[in-house]
Every structure is written in C-alpha cells, then in structure tokens.
Amino acid sequence: MEKRHRIFVAINLPEEVKKELFAYSEKWPELPAKWTAKDNLHITLEFLGDLTDVEIGEVCVIVKKVAERHSCFSLNINQILYGPPNPPPDPKGTPATAGQGKIPRMVWAEGQKSKELQDLKNDLEESLLEKIKFRPGGRGFVPHITLARISEWEFRKFDLEDRPEINENIDLFFTVESIEVMGSELKRSGPVYTILESHNLK
C-alpha cells in the first residue's frame, strides 16, 4: 500500500507576529486548553488530507502556478476569540455565544477579510480541485490562526458565569509574500509541520 502524507497549503507568519500571538498562551491560565507551539502558528488556506507522493508533486506544481498569478498583500490580524463561530450547543447551558452557553473547540486569532486573500484562496481551491480530491473549505473564508485547542470535558466543568471571557482586540499587520505546501506528521507530543515547498507571490 502506497504511503500517504497529511498535506495542507498555508500562509506562515513572520517571527515577530508568532511571538506576539504565542504570548497570549499565558493570559488565561485557568483555560483547559493545549496551546499551539509558537513555530506551528499559521493560516491554513486548504487542508488536502492524506496524499500520495505523486499527488504531492502535482500540488507543488499547482501552488507554484497559483502563486505566480497573485501579488503580495497586507493582512490584519485584529481579534482573539473562541472559535469556530458556531460551536455545537452545550446541553447543560442555554443558547448563547461561544464561551457562554456553547462549548467552543478552540481559541483563535482572526484576521480581516480581504479581496486579495479571497481571490488567492478561490484560485488555489479551483486549481487544486482539477487534480486533487479533497473537501474544500467553502466560500466566506475568514483567515484565522489556531492558538489553542480546548478540552471540552474540562471546559464543561465551569459554571456559565465562570467561563473565561475571550474577546481581545489586537492590531497585527504583516505582508503575505509567499504560500507554502506543508506536511503534517502527528506525534504523541503534537503535530510536527514541515515546509515541503515555498512559493513567492509576485
């Protein structure tokens, strides 16, 4: 049986942005969550799943061509909050926003939508679907960076009024200059990400 590798396409972050975001891992010590390692912080553009070596080669060619069609652009990361926006309801709670009556799955940093980013994602998705079978993320993409994954079981133990409130306005700008084909290897200590190929935007 041919070996497969977990592959995704991502925007990696400048070191100073990763440092600022990772610092929030100390802000909510009471939160039952596993925080993402600083070097693993990124924005996923497309998760492609388990691919063969041949498929990975095709992905690298496609991503290179897509990158050559798009110019560098600025991205603003402006909020830290619970995610995703519509988590499943908590049977013990009442209908409310994430972190109150519902059980959030993550803490993430969210970025502003932009035409440049949406055009890049749409082109990437359409180009990849011509060669690779995967489940697209859909339209209305909101860029986000997973900062922590919440332990649902432990989070349920909080009374509603004791659940940490996470809604932090931030203002981090950086220029997206490249997109990367990434490999993900799941280990007991957590995922290890490897850049397979990096392609500069024009």
Side-chain angles (χ1 to χ4, degrees), residues 186-197:
L186 298 177
K187 297 194 173 184
R188 298 184 75 175
S189 57
V192 175
Y193 300 144
T194 305
I195 297 176
L196 303 182
E197 280 196 8

Side-chain angles (χ1 to χ4, degrees), residues 123-187:
D123 190 3
L124 186 65
E125 188 176 289
E126 291 164 8
S127 300
L128 287 168
L129 280 170
E130 293 178 5
K131 292 281 188 180
I132 306 296
K133 290 183 180 179
F134 68 99
R135 182 177 294 177
R139 304 299 179 187
F141 171 70
V142 177
H144 63 271
I145 300 147
T146 299
L147 301 183
R149 297 185 183 278
I150 292 169
S151 168
E152 181 180 335
W153 176 254
E154 293 295 324
F155 195 87
R156 287 182 187 277
K157 294 179 182 178
F158 283 111
D159 290 332
L160 280 177
E161 62 273 14
D162 293 333
R163 292 179 179 178
E165 183 177 342
I166 298 182
N167 190 358
E168 193 91 3
N169 291 321
I170 59 175
D171 192 24
L172 294 176
F173 276 91
F174 68 96
T175 301
V176 178
E177 298 178 344
S178 65
I179 54 177
E180 281 75 41
V181 180
M182 307 285 292
S184 173
E185 187 178 356
L186 298 177
K187 297 194 173 184

